Amino acid sequence: MLALSTFYLFAVSDLMERLSSMGDLLGYLGLIILALMIVAYLTVRYIPNNYVGVVEKLWSTEGSVTEGSIIAMKGEAGFQAELLRGGLHFGFWRLQYRIHKVPLVTIPQGKIGYVYARDGESLQPSQALARVVPCNNFQDAQGFLGGAEVREGETARGQRGRQRAILREGVYAINPALFVVITEEAVYALRSLQQRQEIENLKQWQQELREAGGFGPIVIGKPQEAPDPLTPGRTITVDTIGIVTVHDGPSLSPGDIIAPPVGTDRNDPNYHNNFQDPEAFLRAGGRRGRQYLPLTDGTYFINRWFAAIEVMPKTVVPIGYVGVVVSYYGRTGRDLSGDAFRHGERVAEGERGVWERPLGPGKYAFNTYAGNIILVPTTNFVLHWITGKSEAHRYDESLRSIDLVTKDAYEPMLPLSVVVHIDYQKAPGVIQRFGDVKKLITQTLDPMLSAFFRDVAHKKTMLELLHQRDSIQSEARAELRRRFNDFDIECVDVLIGKPDTAEAGGKIETLLEQLRLRQLSIEQLETYERQKTAAEKLRLLNEAQAQSNMQTQLTNARVQAQIAESQGEADLARARKQAEQTVVNAEAELARSRRQAEQLVVMADAELARARKQAEQMVVTAEADSQQRMLAGRGEAQKIMQVGLSEAAVLLRKIGSFGDPRLYALSGLAEHLSKSNQPLVPERLFVAGGDGASAGHGQGLFGNLIGLLVAEKSGFHIAENGDATALKEYAERMTRQVMDAIADKNAPVAK
């Protein structure tokens, strides 16, 4: 503000200097603009749209706020109830008003905001939280402080302190001078008003709510691990319920430990919808303290300043059991067990005491602070009076074998098993009488059975105790059934084990060994006696067999004769039947043979006709084949003859052209030699001595041919050979015959 004031002073001084040099008109215009700027600065305020403006009035003609108040309701000096929303605002002089810009309150989706009021009426001594008044979710400070109609014809003003009402998700324009809003992420408050102690308290509240999960809704029904009611040390998974403890409202009546349920009917105007409407809960007469009514599956938005929620598993009654309810809450009821029953009272459901009707197998949203559910088995279960042995239900974990003293001063330990059954309708009476099943066993059944079997053992010797086990067991079964009925339970069976001593090799073991030897001797005597009787019977049997052997042979002979006669008659009848069958078979075979002969005749006739046709076809084929071969032979002979004669005529003419056949042969030889790869004349010739006659004689055929050729070329003519002339004539004659044969195909060829 000091900088702005300095700026305006400089502007005024500068304008005065300008006016001194300008005309009066411009000077007046500048003064007007300057005045407007000063007025705008002093009166106009701007608030962003995501903020609100808290108005603080520095002075007022109405004076200050009344004693005990913080917010001015009638224009007094101090923080005003009305807020300035986003935009331009006029008329708020800087010398009179101070504007504090604070952000809008934002509650995230699915979260809860808690409100603390710094002004309003004081809380009553019995109140923990301020009552709820209609004020548009704390956005109407005038309605909160000035009073609003809460019911028809009744108004109330808001109270200072922590509020019962909560804020759900959304954005709110709340006056932080009046209300402090606590969310999981921030604390919305006017910092200039807060002192250190107040800031620490707000942070502590925020931390407590964060640790308790108070900024989110309560979700009931999620699975949770719970102790197994049948097997200690193990857990099972069960869905949950919520036990509510209310921190506001009237206290419980003397003697009460659980607040009664109120406002549970939807049609009730005070229906509080599972503690989500604190004001309706208190109007309905709700009391502070732990509530009898639990929260079942669902999501609930509950003010944790108003009520704390404890999540616990539902109560499970397994199959084969019933749950007897011992209620700590309810009105005093009428005893339903009768005047003759002196072990406590059984009451109806909803009354204080042991409920007459037990709960069947299933899950129950049972408030365990308001009572207890005791499980009672309804199926047959076994109890072992055996040292070191126990069933899974562990009712007999403290039971031991019964120590006895017999008539003859033996001290055995008797193992015992008893099968027990409890009627589900009598289960409340058992719990009413004994408290639970284990107390029934340890405080009643154990001493009763021990005393009974000790009394029996005192009247029996050790041998009688061993030998009369079955009768003792039957007697115990009948007696215990009678006694158990007095306690509303049923003894199904009693099973007695073998008596024994704690130390090995004791007196009982010696007695048993003597009994074994005695019994073995008795058995041997019995065996020998029976063997003697068997031998006598065998002798008599052999005599009878010897006397009956001959009678047996005669009887066998007669039987064999009768058998042979019967077999002969049977063979004769069989032969006659076979003969008759043979005649029938022969006649059938003759008829079959006749039919086959007729078929063979028909087939022979057909085969003969087919053979005749084939013969005719073969004759025609043979004649055609013969004629074909004859013509082919003639043609081939004529061809060969013609070729041969042609070659002979040509050869004769070639020889005739040479005049001497030797010259033709020499020409053919020369031609073949010209095609030979071997040299005709050797490159080197070695001639060893000798006369001319011998040399000329050694020339051979080649030398003769060379000589003839040289003689012919020199003008010597070789005389014609007579054989060649005759050959020529023969060739000419054969040529003519062939030509004639060709002209006449039917003329025979001369050989």
Side-chain angles (χ1 to χ4, degrees):
M1 288 184 61
L2 181 60
L4 290 174
S5 302
T6 305
F7 169 76
Y8 279 106
L9 290 176
F10 278 111
V12 171
S13 61
D14 183 65
L15 183 60
M16 295 301 293
E17 292 178 358
R18 290 177 179 273
L19 288 176
S20 61
S21 59
M22 295 176 59
D24 293 339
L25 182 60
L26 294 176
Y28 290 134
L29 182 59
L31 288 174
I32 293 173
I33 294 173
L34 179 60
L36 291 175
M37 291 175 62
I38 293 173
V39 170
Y41 168 74
L42 294 176
T43 60
V44 177
R45 303 297 179 93
Y46 171 72
I47 306 298
N49 290 325
N50 57 342
Y51 281 74
V52 294
V54 179
V55 180
E56 180 184 1
K57 200 170 187 180
L58 301 178
W59 55 268
S60 173
T61 57
E62 302 295 333
S64 301
V65 295
T66 58
E67 185 178 354
S69 299
I70 299 176
I71 304 301
M73 300 290 294
K74 300 178 180 179
E76 303 96 333
F79 290 100
Q80 305 298 304
E82 298 295 333
L83 294 175
L84 299 181
R85 300 301 301 272
L88 292 174
H89 299 272
F90 301 93
F92 293 92
W93 294 91
R94 292 183 179 272
L95 298 178
Q96 188 179 12
Y97 295 96
R98 183 180 299 160
I99 307 299
H100 302 272
K101 298 178 183 179
V102 294
L104 295 172
V105 175
T106 302
I107 309 297
Q109 178 69 28
K111 297 295 182 179
I112 299 174
Y114 294 84
V115 180
Y116 170 76
R118 304 176 73 249
D119 197 358
E121 292 184 355
S122 299
L123 296 175
Q124 298 296 325
S126 61
Q127 281 185 271
L129 301 176
R131 59 173 171 257
V132 178
V133 296
C135 58
N136 190 18
N137 288 308
F138 304 101
Q139 297 180 100
D140 183 5
Q142 288 281 358
F144 181 85
L145 296 175
E149 186 176 4
V150 293
R151 284 186 296 275
E152 186 176 357
E154 182 180 351
T155 60
R157 294 182 61 221
Q159 295 176 307
R160 67 181 66 197
R162 295 184 298 177
Q163 303 294 305
R164 295 170 184 164
I166 58 175
L167 294 176
R168 295 289 303 276
E169 53 267 31
V171 180
Y172 302 91
I174 296 177
N175 191 337
L178 176 59
F179 301 108
V180 176
V181 180
I182 303 174
T183 66
E184 189 173 11
E185 293 81 9
V187 176
Y188 294 90
L190 194 61
R191 299 297 180 182
S192 60
L193 291 180
Q194 293 180 333
Q195 299 178 358
R196 181 177 179 180
Q197 185 64 36
E198 185 179 7
I199 294 175
E200 291 178 356
N201 289 337
L202 293 175
K203 289 182 178 180
Q204 183 179 356
W205 289 344
Q206 185 185 36
Q207 183 62 26
E208 291 174 353
L209 290 171
R210 187 182 289 118
E211 292 174 355
F215 293 107
I218 292 291
V219 180
I220 303 297
K222 292 182 178 179
Q224 182 177 343
E225 294 293 326
D228 189 347
L230 301 182
T231 308
R234 294 181 57 185
T235 59
I236 58 175
T237 302
V238 187
D239 43 357
T240 55
I241 60 174
I243 305 300
V244 182
T245 301
V246 174
H247 303 310
D248 200 0
S251 300
L252 293 174
S253 301
D256 289 342
I257 60 171
I258 298 291
V262 295
T264 57
D265 187 3
R266 290 182 177 275
N267 299 321
D268 188 347
N270 295 324
Y271 174 64
H272 55 82
N273 193 12
N274 289 298
F275 309 97
Q276 296 182 97
D277 187 351
E279 209 65 28
F281 172 81
L282 296 175
R283 286 199 307 270
R287 301 296 184 92
R288 74 172 65 197
R290 189 171 284 115
Q291 304 295 307
Y292 179 77
L293 183 68
L295 297 178
T296 55
D297 298 9
T299 302
Y300 304 92
F301 291 86
I302 297 176
N303 188 335
R304 306 305 166 76
W305 285 341
F306 175 73
I309 312 298
E310 180 183 358
V311 179
M312 61 173 54
K314 292 180 180 177
T315 301
V316 178
V317 178
I319 297 175
Y321 288 78
V322 294
V324 177
V325 180
V326 180
S327 179
Y328 309 147
Y329 162 81
R331 63 184 181 277
T332 302
R334 183 175 62 87
D335 183 15
L336 302 177
S337 58
D339 296 336
F341 191 81
R342 295 299 180 181
H343 299 280
E345 296 182 352
R346 284 200 299 272
V347 297
E349 183 177 351
E351 297 177 346
R352 185 177 303 180
V354 179
W355 288 2
E356 182 185 26
R357 188 174 185 83
L359 302 178
K363 293 180 182 179
Y364 298 91
F366 185 79
N367 188 341
T368 54
Y369 290 104
N372 187 22
I373 295 180
I374 301 174
L375 298 180
V376 178
T378 56
T379 57
N380 294 351
F381 61 96
V382 180
L383 300 174
H384 296 293
W385 274 264
I386 301 175
T387 303
K389 185 175 182 180
S390 176
E391 288 290 328
H393 50 65
R394 304 184 71 174
Y395 293 144
D396 53 359
E397 63 182 352
S398 62
L399 302 180
R400 299 293 181 266
S401 299
I402 301 175
D403 54 322
L404 306 178
V405 179
T406 63
K407 185 178 180 181
D408 50 355
Y410 281 93
E411 297 181 358
M413 303 295 294
L414 180 65
L416 178 69
S417 296
V418 179
V419 182
V420 181
H421 174 256
I422 300 176
D423 189 347
Y424 82 96
Q425 292 182 340
K426 296 180 179 179
V430 173
I431 299 303
Q432 186 179 1
R433 186 193 299 259
F434 300 103
D436 57 38
V437 177
K438 197 164 186 178
K439 291 179 180 179
L440 160 68
I441 295 167
T442 57
Q443 298 178 7
T444 302
L445 299 186
D446 184 25
M448 183 177 66
L449 265 72
S450 299
F452 174 79
F453 283 100
R454 287 180 183 132
D455 292 342
V456 171
H458 288 165
K459 301 174 185 178
K460 305 284 184 181
T461 65
M462 187 65 200
L463 288 178
E464 290 174 343
L465 190 65
L466 293 173
H467 290 168
Q468 299 176 12
R469 173 179 171 275
D470 185 48
S471 61
I472 295 174
Q473 188 170 271
S474 299
E475 179 186 355
R477 185 184 301 114
E479 180 64 19
L480 292 179
R481 283 180 178 175
R482 183 185 64 81
R483 294 188 183 185
F484 278 25
N485 286 333
D486 296 338
F487 302 107
D488 295 330
I489 59 177
E490 178 184 356
C491 176
V492 179
D493 202 357
V494 178
L495 306 172
I496 300 175
K498 172 189 171 184
D500 200 359
T501 54
E503 66 278 1
K507 296 180 180 180
I508 295 179
E509 188 62 30
T510 304
L511 178 62
L512 293 177
E513 184 63 25
Q514 294 174 357
L515 286 176
R516 294 188 193 100
L517 294 175
R518 184 185 304 173
Q519 186 65 30
L520 179 60
S521 301
I522 294 172
E523 294 294 335
Q524 287 177 346
L525 291 174
E526 182 70 20
T527 302
Y528 296 153
E529 186 65 28
R530 290 182 180 273
Q531 287 178 350
K532 179 180 177 181
T533 304
E536 183 67 23
K537 295 291 184 183
L538 180 62
R539 184 182 62 79
L540 296 175
L541 176 63
N542 291 334
E543 291 178 358
Q545 288 178 348
Q547 293 175 1
S548 64
N549 281 338
M550 297 305 294
Q551 183 67 32
T552 302
Q553 292 178 2
L554 179 60
T555 303
N556 290 339
R558 289 177 180 176
V559 172
Q560 289 177 357
Q562 292 176 358
I563 291 172
E565 184 180 356
S566 299
Q567 287 180 349
E569 292 177 356
D571 291 341
L572 179 60
R574 193 181 301 111
R576 287 175 181 174
K577 290 183 179 180
Q578 288 179 353
E580 293 175 358
Q581 185 66 29
T582 302
V583 171
V584 173
N585 292 339
E587 291 177 354
E589 185 67 25
L590 179 60
R592 186 164 55 253
S593 299
R594 286 176 181 174
R595 289 194 297 271
Q596 290 179 353
E598 292 174 358
Q599 292 177 358
L600 289 174
V601 171
V602 174
M603 292 173 63
D605 292 340
E607 187 67 26
L608 179 59
R610 187 162 55 252
R612 287 176 180 174
K613 289 182 181 180
Q614 290 179 354
E616 293 175 358
Q617 292 177 358
M618 290 176 65
V619 170
V620 174
T621 303
E623 291 177 354
D625 191 24
S626 176
Q627 187 68 25
Q628 179 182 2
R629 290 181 179 179
M630 185 181 295
L631 294 176
R634 264 182 204 175
E636 186 67 24
Q638 290 177 1
K639 175 183 176 182
I640 294 171
M641 183 178 291
Q642 185 177 0
V643 172
L645 290 176
S646 298
E647 290 179 353
V650 173
L651 184 59
L652 288 175
R653 289 184 181 278
K654 286 182 179 180
I655 295 171
S657 65
F658 282 91
D660 190 346
R662 291 173 292 181
L663 294 175
Y664 174 73
L666 181 60
S667 176
L669 178 61
E671 183 178 356
H672 286 292
L673 290 174
S674 67
K675 297 179 180 178
S676 175
N677 293 329
Q678 186 68 26
L680 185 59
V681 179
E683 293 180 0
R684 293 182 180 91
L685 182 62
F686 176 74
V687 180
D691 56 5
S694 62
H697 181 72
Q699 292 177 355
L701 179 59
F702 184 75
N704 292 332
L705 291 177
I706 294 300
L708 290 176
L709 182 59
V710 172
E712 183 182 2
K713 295 303 181 178
S714 300
F716 294 99
H717 298 281
I718 303 172
E720 294 182 359
N721 191 358
D723 295 334
T725 304
L727 182 61
K728 289 179 181 180
E729 290 176 358
Y730 178 76
E732 289 177 0
R733 182 165 56 84
M734 290 297 294
T735 302
R736 285 195 300 273
Q737 288 180 2
V738 170
M739 297 303 295
D740 293 340
I742 292 172
D744 187 5
K745 295 181 180 179
N746 295 323
V749 180
K751 296 183 181 177

